[in-house]
Amino acid sequence: MPDSCPQPPPSSSSSSGSSDSAPLLLCGARLTDGRTVDVRLGGGRIEAVGTAGSLVVGAVGARVDLRGHLLLPAPVEPHAHGDTALSADGDGPVSYEADEVQRRTTEAALLQLGHGATVLRSHVRIGDVQGLDSLAAVLRARRSLHGLAELTAVAMPRVLTGAAGADGLAMLRDAVKMGATVVGGCPDTDPDPIGYVEAVLELASEHGCPVDLHTDADDPARLGRVAAMAGGLRPGVTLGPCGGLGRLPADTAARAADQLAAAGVTVVCLPQGGCGSAERRDTAPVRLLRSAGVRVAAGSGTLRDVSNPVGRGDPLEAAYLLASRYGLRPEDAYDTVSASARAALGLPEVRVEAGFPAELLAVRGDRLAGALSLAYSRIVVHRGRVVARTSAVREYCSSAAVALDLPRQGRVQPP
């Protein structure tokens, strides 16, 4: 099931749901296995995949020419911070006025949709000065984005133990009633981190919500206890960014990875940088975790806020960094922002095959490695319709070099 408690608001919808859009034919797309195909979409799903030129669409349908494009399952964003996004350039302290939070969240979601992320999980602070106002603003942004992208909210209280914890726990319960579909927070900053985790897991179990916790994971004993407590919880527990695992001795980190794998915990790493809830910017040891059987997804973290003023919020950049800096194969790197990230969010699998949800990303190029390197032009499909386009045209002045028949970013000229 997608991110949700038992009774999500009526405006919430799954990316696998039906769509009112007209049939759509994607023509001449290249797949990662080297085939060139036509793909027909309808009702929010892939209706058929055939050799190029073999499929037709009805009179009311539309065609999109994808010659020169690689067609992929769309990525998703498992770790965003919409309430603080795009705040780095402002004068003075970050504003948490409801209208401003809603504007930032909406703009950030649209930027990330343009990159290809059709589903986003946004972590939202509750309590302190903002109370539940920021969450309410993010939920309004979610409703305004309906049909373009799916946005879910993670409620993040500051403290859940001791005298101050009672207020935080009451606010977390109110957040779930308002429409936060995931519960989480930062146990590392609570005076009793294990008590914090226990409180979150108990409430999540009561309401049937997923859990998504921020932790540096640099304390192996604490991490082991968290894994033991999380093992039986469904629909699941996610931890991130877990950069501290990489600073532990190799044998200690390997034991921790085995514990996380046994508990079925997902780790979301942030290769583009940390976030306001994580002081260190190390990236989790993705190869170690994957070899232990831990599901590893990659998120973008913050998008141009004070903790990362140059954050891009681009899933393909996250995959690029995991391939170029941390040694994953391009296919495995892309999996962290697509299939594994979708599974972390409880979303159905997407393949470019008949019957699967029509959540797709077309990028100019013919191989995945090249797409991760130079994916400037992108076409994004959500629930069976094109919801975003980015076109990049590169031009050169006349010279002998550009007279050669070299591949270029730009529109494919008809034969």
Side-chain angles (χ1 to χ4, degrees), residues 96-125:
Y96 287 98
E97 292 293 328
D99 289 348
E100 180 64 16
V101 171
Q102 181 178 351
R103 184 195 65 78
R104 290 198 304 257
T105 301
T106 304
E107 184 178 355
L110 291 174
L111 284 171
Q112 293 185 269
L113 175 64
H115 292 319
T118 61
V119 181
L120 304 96
R121 177 185 279 186
S122 185
H123 296 254
V124 186
R125 295 186 182 94

PDB file of all heavy atoms in Angstrom, residues 96-125:
ATOM      1  N   TYR A  96       7.991  30.764   8.660  1.00  0.00           N
ATOM      2  CA  TYR A  96       7.095  29.617   8.731  1.00  0.00           C
ATOM      3  C   TYR A  96       5.640  30.061   8.667  1.00  0.00           C
ATOM      4  O   TYR A  96       4.745  29.337   9.116  1.00  0.00           O
ATOM      5  CB  TYR A  96       7.365  28.797   9.994  1.00  0.00           C
ATOM      6  CG  TYR A  96       8.652  28.009   9.903  1.00  0.00           C
ATOM      7  CD1 TYR A  96       9.824  28.490  10.473  1.00  0.00           C
ATOM      8  CD2 TYR A  96       8.704  26.801   9.216  1.00  0.00           C
ATOM      9  CE1 TYR A  96      11.015  27.785  10.378  1.00  0.00           C
ATOM     10  CE2 TYR A  96       9.889  26.083   9.103  1.00  0.00           C
ATOM     11  CZ  TYR A  96      11.037  26.585   9.694  1.00  0.00           C
ATOM     12  OH  TYR A  96      12.201  25.887   9.587  1.00  0.00           O
ATOM     13  N   GLU A  97       5.403  31.224   8.088  1.00  0.00           N
ATOM     14  CA  GLU A  97       4.025  31.626   7.820  1.00  0.00           C
ATOM     15  C   GLU A  97       3.395  30.603   6.881  1.00  0.00           C
ATOM     16  O   GLU A  97       4.032  30.129   5.931  1.00  0.00           O
ATOM     17  CB  GLU A  97       3.989  33.011   7.190  1.00  0.00           C
ATOM     18  CG  GLU A  97       4.424  34.144   8.115  1.00  0.00           C
ATOM     19  CD  GLU A  97       3.441  34.344   9.260  1.00  0.00           C
ATOM     20  OE1 GLU A  97       2.226  34.109   9.050  1.00  0.00           O
ATOM     21  OE2 GLU A  97       3.890  34.716  10.367  1.00  0.00           O
ATOM     22  N   ALA A  98       2.140  30.264   7.149  1.00  0.00           N
ATOM     23  CA  ALA A  98       1.504  29.168   6.427  1.00  0.00           C
ATOM     24  C   ALA A  98       1.529  29.362   4.918  1.00  0.00           C
ATOM     25  O   ALA A  98       1.832  28.425   4.165  1.00  0.00           O
ATOM     26  CB  ALA A  98       0.074  28.994   6.921  1.00  0.00           C
ATOM     27  N   ASP A  99       1.225  30.574   4.460  1.00  0.00           N
ATOM     28  CA  ASP A  99       1.212  30.817   3.009  1.00  0.00           C
ATOM     29  C   ASP A  99       2.594  30.616   2.404  1.00  0.00           C
ATOM     30  O   ASP A  99       2.729  30.104   1.284  1.00  0.00           O
ATOM     31  CB  ASP A  99       0.709  32.230   2.711  1.00  0.00           C
ATOM     32  CG  ASP A  99      -0.787  32.386   2.972  1.00  0.00           C
ATOM     33  OD1 ASP A  99      -1.462  31.351   3.155  1.00  0.00           O
ATOM     34  OD2 ASP A  99      -1.263  33.532   3.012  1.00  0.00           O
ATOM     35  N   GLU A 100       3.629  31.030   3.143  1.00  0.00           N
ATOM     36  CA  GLU A 100       4.990  30.893   2.630  1.00  0.00           C
ATOM     37  C   GLU A 100       5.407  29.426   2.589  1.00  0.00           C
ATOM     38  O   GLU A 100       6.045  28.971   1.627  1.00  0.00           O
ATOM     39  CB  GLU A 100       5.950  31.700   3.509  1.00  0.00           C
ATOM     40  CG  GLU A 100       7.409  31.656   3.081  1.00  0.00           C
ATOM     41  CD  GLU A 100       7.661  32.277   1.717  1.00  0.00           C
ATOM     42  OE1 GLU A 100       6.782  33.011   1.218  1.00  0.00           O
ATOM     43  OE2 GLU A 100       8.740  32.020   1.156  1.00  0.00           O
ATOM     44  N   VAL A 101       5.059  28.664   3.611  1.00  0.00           N
ATOM     45  CA  VAL A 101       5.383  27.240   3.616  1.00  0.00           C
ATOM     46  C   VAL A 101       4.677  26.526   2.467  1.00  0.00           C
ATOM     47  O   VAL A 101       5.268  25.698   1.768  1.00  0.00           O
ATOM     48  CB  VAL A 101       5.015  26.600   4.962  1.00  0.00           C
ATOM     49  CG1 VAL A 101       5.147  25.077   4.908  1.00  0.00           C
ATOM     50  CG2 VAL A 101       5.887  27.154   6.078  1.00  0.00           C
ATOM     51  N   GLN A 102       3.417  26.863   2.249  1.00  0.00           N
ATOM     52  CA  GLN A 102       2.680  26.236   1.153  1.00  0.00           C
ATOM     53  C   GLN A 102       3.309  26.591  -0.193  1.00  0.00           C
ATOM     54  O   GLN A 102       3.453  25.727  -1.067  1.00  0.00           O
ATOM     55  CB  GLN A 102       1.215  26.666   1.170  1.00  0.00           C
ATOM     56  CG  GLN A 102       0.388  26.012   0.066  1.00  0.00           C
ATOM     57  CD  GLN A 102      -1.075  26.413   0.112  1.00  0.00           C
ATOM     58  OE1 GLN A 102      -1.522  27.052   1.055  1.00  0.00           O
ATOM     59  NE2 GLN A 102      -1.825  26.037  -0.911  1.00  0.00           N
ATOM     60  N   ARG A 103       3.700  27.853  -0.374  1.00  0.00           N
ATOM     61  CA  ARG A 103       4.322  28.257  -1.635  1.00  0.00           C
ATOM     62  C   ARG A 103       5.629  27.526  -1.861  1.00  0.00           C
ATOM     63  O   ARG A 103       5.885  27.007  -2.966  1.00  0.00           O
ATOM     64  CB  ARG A 103       4.573  29.772  -1.628  1.00  0.00           C
ATOM     65  CG  ARG A 103       5.137  30.305  -2.946  1.00  0.00           C
ATOM     66  CD  ARG A 103       5.710  31.694  -2.786  1.00  0.00           C
ATOM     67  NE  ARG A 103       6.872  31.708  -1.908  1.00  0.00           N
ATOM     68  CZ  ARG A 103       8.094  31.323  -2.275  1.00  0.00           C
ATOM     69  NH1 ARG A 103       8.320  30.878  -3.506  1.00  0.00           N
ATOM     70  NH2 ARG A 103       9.095  31.372  -1.426  1.00  0.00           N
ATOM     71  N   ARG A 104       6.478  27.475  -0.819  1.00  0.00           N
ATOM     72  CA  ARG A 104       7.769  26.793  -0.967  1.00  0.00           C
ATOM     73  C   ARG A 104       7.583  25.308  -1.265  1.00  0.00           C
ATOM     74  O   ARG A 104       8.257  24.738  -2.124  1.00  0.00           O
ATOM     75  CB  ARG A 104       8.613  26.962   0.301  1.00  0.00           C
ATOM     76  CG  ARG A 104       9.141  28.361   0.536  1.00  0.00           C
ATOM     77  CD  ARG A 104      10.289  28.348   1.529  1.00  0.00           C
ATOM     78  NE  ARG A 104       9.952  27.736   2.805  1.00  0.00           N
ATOM     79  CZ  ARG A 104       9.699  28.408   3.931  1.00  0.00           C
ATOM     80  NH1 ARG A 104       9.746  29.737   3.923  1.00  0.00           N
ATOM     81  NH2 ARG A 104       9.439  27.773   5.048  1.00  0.00           N
ATOM     82  N   THR A 105       6.678  24.673  -0.532  1.00  0.00           N
ATOM     83  CA  THR A 105       6.447  23.245  -0.729  1.00  0.00           C
ATOM     84  C   THR A 105       5.963  22.960  -2.137  1.00  0.00           C
ATOM     85  O   THR A 105       6.421  22.019  -2.796  1.00  0.00           O
ATOM     86  CB  THR A 105       5.417  22.727   0.292  1.00  0.00           C
ATOM     87  OG1 THR A 105       5.906  22.958   1.621  1.00  0.00           O
ATOM     88  CG2 THR A 105       5.155  21.245   0.100  1.00  0.00           C
ATOM     89  N   THR A 106       5.038  23.769  -2.631  1.00  0.00           N
ATOM     90  CA  THR A 106       4.498  23.570  -3.971  1.00  0.00           C
ATOM     91  C   THR A 106       5.567  23.784  -5.029  1.00  0.00           C
ATOM     92  O   THR A 106       5.713  22.976  -5.964  1.00  0.00           O
ATOM     93  CB  THR A 106       3.317  24.526  -4.214  1.00  0.00           C
ATOM     94  OG1 THR A 106       2.333  24.337  -3.196  1.00  0.00           O
ATOM     95  CG2 THR A 106       2.697  24.286  -5.577  1.00  0.00           C
ATOM     96  N   GLU A 107       6.315  24.876  -4.902  1.00  0.00           N
ATOM     97  CA  GLU A 107       7.356  25.157  -5.896  1.00  0.00           C
ATOM     98  C   GLU A 107       8.414  24.066  -5.891  1.00  0.00           C
ATOM     99  O   GLU A 107       8.880  23.620  -6.957  1.00  0.00           O
ATOM    100  CB  GLU A 107       8.002  26.518  -5.614  1.00  0.00           C
ATOM    101  CG  GLU A 107       9.034  26.907  -6.662  1.00  0.00           C
ATOM    102  CD  GLU A 107       9.651  28.273  -6.408  1.00  0.00           C
ATOM    103  OE1 GLU A 107       9.221  28.971  -5.464  1.00  0.00           O
ATOM    104  OE2 GLU A 107      10.580  28.636  -7.165  1.00  0.00           O
ATOM    105  N   ALA A 108       8.810  23.618  -4.702  1.00  0.00           N
ATOM    106  CA  ALA A 108       9.818  22.562  -4.614  1.00  0.00           C
ATOM    107  C   ALA A 108       9.316  21.268  -5.249  1.00  0.00           C
ATOM    108  O   ALA A 108      10.049  20.592  -5.973  1.00  0.00           O
ATOM    109  CB  ALA A 108      10.203  22.322  -3.159  1.00  0.00           C
ATOM    110  N   ALA A 109       8.065  20.918  -4.975  1.00  0.00           N
ATOM    111  CA  ALA A 109       7.503  19.693  -5.555  1.00  0.00           C
ATOM    112  C   ALA A 109       7.466  19.773  -7.070  1.00  0.00           C
ATOM    113  O   ALA A 109       7.747  18.790  -7.772  1.00  0.00           O
ATOM    114  CB  ALA A 109       6.109  19.446  -4.995  1.00  0.00           C
ATOM    115  N   LEU A 110       7.142  20.948  -7.625  1.00  0.00           N
ATOM    116  CA  LEU A 110       7.111  21.101  -9.074  1.00  0.00           C
ATOM    117  C   LEU A 110       8.509  21.021  -9.677  1.00  0.00           C
ATOM    118  O   LEU A 110       8.702  20.450 -10.763  1.00  0.00           O
ATOM    119  CB  LEU A 110       6.438  22.421  -9.444  1.00  0.00           C
ATOM    120  CG  LEU A 110       4.928  22.491  -9.161  1.00  0.00           C
ATOM    121  CD1 LEU A 110       4.399  23.893  -9.439  1.00  0.00           C
ATOM    122  CD2 LEU A 110       4.174  21.460  -9.989  1.00  0.00           C
ATOM    123  N   LEU A 111       9.494  21.582  -8.980  1.00  0.00           N
ATOM    124  CA  LEU A 111      10.872  21.456  -9.450  1.00  0.00           C
ATOM    125  C   LEU A 111      11.292  19.993  -9.499  1.00  0.00           C
ATOM    126  O   LEU A 111      11.898  19.529 -10.475  1.00  0.00           O
ATOM    127  CB  LEU A 111      11.812  22.240  -8.533  1.00  0.00           C
ATOM    128  CG  LEU A 111      11.823  23.764  -8.688  1.00  0.00           C
ATOM    129  CD1 LEU A 111      12.638  24.397  -7.573  1.00  0.00           C
ATOM    130  CD2 LEU A 111      12.395  24.159 -10.045  1.00  0.00           C
ATOM    131  N   GLN A 112      10.950  19.258  -8.453  1.00  0.00           N
ATOM    132  CA  GLN A 112      11.345  17.853  -8.410  1.00  0.00           C
ATOM    133  C   GLN A 112      10.535  17.018  -9.387  1.00  0.00           C
ATOM    134  O   GLN A 112      11.044  16.035  -9.936  1.00  0.00           O
ATOM    135  CB  GLN A 112      11.228  17.331  -6.978  1.00  0.00           C
ATOM    136  CG  GLN A 112      12.256  18.011  -6.062  1.00  0.00           C
ATOM    137  CD  GLN A 112      12.273  17.444  -4.658  1.00  0.00           C
ATOM    138  OE1 GLN A 112      11.571  17.922  -3.775  1.00  0.00           O
ATOM    139  NE2 GLN A 112      13.071  16.421  -4.442  1.00  0.00           N
ATOM    140  N   LEU A 113       9.290  17.397  -9.623  1.00  0.00           N
ATOM    141  CA  LEU A 113       8.510  16.737 -10.659  1.00  0.00           C
ATOM    142  C   LEU A 113       9.168  16.941 -12.019  1.00  0.00           C
ATOM    143  O   LEU A 113       9.237  16.009 -12.836  1.00  0.00           O
ATOM    144  CB  LEU A 113       7.082  17.287 -10.666  1.00  0.00           C
ATOM    145  CG  LEU A 113       6.177  16.781 -11.788  1.00  0.00           C
ATOM    146  CD1 LEU A 113       5.949  15.275 -11.677  1.00  0.00           C
ATOM    147  CD2 LEU A 113       4.849  17.525 -11.783  1.00  0.00           C
ATOM    148  N   GLY A 114       9.657  18.149 -12.287  1.00  0.00           N
ATOM    149  CA  GLY A 114      10.356  18.396 -13.542  1.00  0.00           C
ATOM    150  C   GLY A 114      11.580  17.518 -13.712  1.00  0.00           C
ATOM    151  O   GLY A 114      11.949  17.149 -14.834  1.00  0.00           O
ATOM    152  N   HIS A 115      12.216  17.166 -12.586  1.00  0.00           N
ATOM    153  CA  HIS A 115      13.350  16.232 -12.638  1.00  0.00           C
ATOM    154  C   HIS A 115      12.899  14.803 -12.898  1.00  0.00           C
ATOM    155  O   HIS A 115      13.717  13.966 -13.290  1.00  0.00           O
ATOM    156  CB  HIS A 115      14.131  16.269 -11.329  1.00  0.00           C
ATOM    157  CG  HIS A 115      14.859  17.557 -11.073  1.00  0.00           C
ATOM    158  ND1 HIS A 115      15.538  18.243 -12.050  1.00  0.00           N
ATOM    159  CD2 HIS A 115      15.025  18.280  -9.930  1.00  0.00           C
ATOM    160  CE1 HIS A 115      16.087  19.330 -11.535  1.00  0.00           C
ATOM    161  NE2 HIS A 115      15.786  19.379 -10.256  1.00  0.00           N
ATOM    162  N   GLY A 116      11.630  14.506 -12.622  1.00  0.00           N
ATOM    163  CA  GLY A 116      11.120  13.163 -12.878  1.00  0.00           C
ATOM    164  C   GLY A 116      10.410  12.510 -11.720  1.00  0.00           C
ATOM    165  O   GLY A 116       9.799  11.449 -11.886  1.00  0.00           O
ATOM    166  N   ALA A 117      10.469  13.090 -10.515  1.00  0.00           N
ATOM    167  CA  ALA A 117       9.886  12.468  -9.330  1.00  0.00           C
ATOM    168  C   ALA A 117       8.383  12.701  -9.288  1.00  0.00           C
ATOM    169  O   ALA A 117       7.928  13.807  -9.012  1.00  0.00           O
ATOM    170  CB  ALA A 117      10.539  13.030  -8.067  1.00  0.00           C
ATOM    171  N   THR A 118       7.616  11.657  -9.552  1.00  0.00           N
ATOM    172  CA  THR A 118       6.159  11.791  -9.570  1.00  0.00           C
ATOM    173  C   THR A 118       5.532  11.560  -8.202  1.00  0.00           C
ATOM    174  O   THR A 118       4.347  11.817  -8.018  1.00  0.00           O
ATOM    175  CB  THR A 118       5.533  10.818 -10.587  1.00  0.00           C
ATOM    176  OG1 THR A 118       5.857   9.466 -10.219  1.00  0.00           O
ATOM    177  CG2 THR A 118       6.045  11.111 -11.991  1.00  0.00           C
ATOM    178  N   VAL A 119       6.318  11.064  -7.243  1.00  0.00           N
ATOM    179  CA  VAL A 119       5.859  10.854  -5.870  1.00  0.00           C
ATOM    180  C   VAL A 119       6.933  11.391  -4.943  1.00  0.00           C
ATOM    181  O   VAL A 119       8.125  11.155  -5.159  1.00  0.00           O
ATOM    182  CB  VAL A 119       5.591   9.364  -5.573  1.00  0.00           C
ATOM    183  CG1 VAL A 119       5.080   9.172  -4.149  1.00  0.00           C
ATOM    184  CG2 VAL A 119       4.601   8.774  -6.568  1.00  0.00           C
ATOM    185  N   LEU A 120       6.506  12.115  -3.893  1.00  0.00           N
ATOM    186  CA  LEU A 120       7.455  12.700  -2.942  1.00  0.00           C
ATOM    187  C   LEU A 120       6.981  12.452  -1.522  1.00  0.00           C
ATOM    188  O   LEU A 120       5.791  12.569  -1.218  1.00  0.00           O
ATOM    189  CB  LEU A 120       7.590  14.210  -3.162  1.00  0.00           C
ATOM    190  CG  LEU A 120       7.981  14.709  -4.551  1.00  0.00           C
ATOM    191  CD1 LEU A 120       6.716  15.098  -5.332  1.00  0.00           C
ATOM    192  CD2 LEU A 120       8.913  15.908  -4.468  1.00  0.00           C
ATOM    193  N   ARG A 121       7.917  12.126  -0.645  1.00  0.00           N
ATOM    194  CA  ARG A 121       7.662  12.048   0.793  1.00  0.00           C
ATOM    195  C   ARG A 121       8.385  13.220   1.460  1.00  0.00           C
ATOM    196  O   ARG A 121       9.613  13.303   1.418  1.00  0.00           O
ATOM    197  CB  ARG A 121       8.148  10.717   1.372  1.00  0.00           C
ATOM    198  CG  ARG A 121       7.971  10.607   2.868  1.00  0.00           C
ATOM    199  CD  ARG A 121       8.568   9.321   3.449  1.00  0.00           C
ATOM    200  NE  ARG A 121       7.682   8.179   3.276  1.00  0.00           N
ATOM    201  CZ  ARG A 121       7.926   6.972   3.803  1.00  0.00           C
ATOM    202  NH1 ARG A 121       9.047   6.765   4.494  1.00  0.00           N
ATOM    203  NH2 ARG A 121       7.073   5.978   3.614  1.00  0.00           N
ATOM    204  N   SER A 122       7.614  14.107   2.080  1.00  0.00           N
ATOM    205  CA  SER A 122       8.172  15.322   2.673  1.00  0.00           C
ATOM    206  C   SER A 122       8.108  15.261   4.189  1.00  0.00           C
ATOM    207  O   SER A 122       7.042  15.032   4.761  1.00  0.00           O
ATOM    208  CB  SER A 122       7.397  16.547   2.164  1.00  0.00           C
ATOM    209  OG  SER A 122       7.983  17.737   2.627  1.00  0.00           O
ATOM    210  N   HIS A 123       9.249  15.471   4.833  1.00  0.00           N
ATOM    211  CA  HIS A 123       9.342  15.490   6.288  1.00  0.00           C
ATOM    212  C   HIS A 123       9.026  16.899   6.788  1.00  0.00           C
ATOM    213  O   HIS A 123       9.609  17.878   6.309  1.00  0.00           O
ATOM    214  CB  HIS A 123      10.741  15.077   6.738  1.00  0.00           C
ATOM    215  CG  HIS A 123      11.089  13.664   6.364  1.00  0.00           C
ATOM    216  ND1 HIS A 123      11.137  12.643   7.284  1.00  0.00           N
ATOM    217  CD2 HIS A 123      11.383  13.097   5.163  1.00  0.00           C
ATOM    218  CE1 HIS A 123      11.453  11.507   6.676  1.00  0.00           C
ATOM    219  NE2 HIS A 123      11.605  11.764   5.387  1.00  0.00           N
ATOM    220  N   VAL A 124       8.121  16.993   7.757  1.00  0.00           N
ATOM    221  CA  VAL A 124       7.629  18.291   8.221  1.00  0.00           C
ATOM    222  C   VAL A 124       7.758  18.378   9.733  1.00  0.00           C
ATOM    223  O   VAL A 124       7.256  17.516  10.461  1.00  0.00           O
ATOM    224  CB  VAL A 124       6.148  18.502   7.824  1.00  0.00           C
ATOM    225  CG1 VAL A 124       5.701  19.920   8.179  1.00  0.00           C
ATOM    226  CG2 VAL A 124       5.927  18.213   6.344  1.00  0.00           C
ATOM    227  N   ARG A 125       8.431  19.428  10.209  1.00  0.00           N
ATOM    228  CA  ARG A 125       8.556  19.638  11.647  1.00  0.00           C
ATOM    229  C   ARG A 125       7.213  20.061  12.239  1.00  0.00           C
ATOM    230  O   ARG A 125       6.501  20.884  11.662  1.00  0.00           O
ATOM    231  CB  ARG A 125       9.588  20.722  11.940  1.00  0.00           C
ATOM    232  CG  ARG A 125      11.014  20.379  11.537  1.00  0.00           C
ATOM    233  CD  ARG A 125      11.957  21.477  12.012  1.00  0.00           C
ATOM    234  NE  ARG A 125      13.327  21.229  11.625  1.00  0.00           N
ATOM    235  CZ  ARG A 125      13.907  21.705  10.541  1.00  0.00           C
ATOM    236  NH1 ARG A 125      13.209  22.464   9.716  1.00  0.00           N
ATOM    237  NH2 ARG A 125      15.167  21.450  10.269  1.00  0.00           N
TER     238      ARG A 125
END
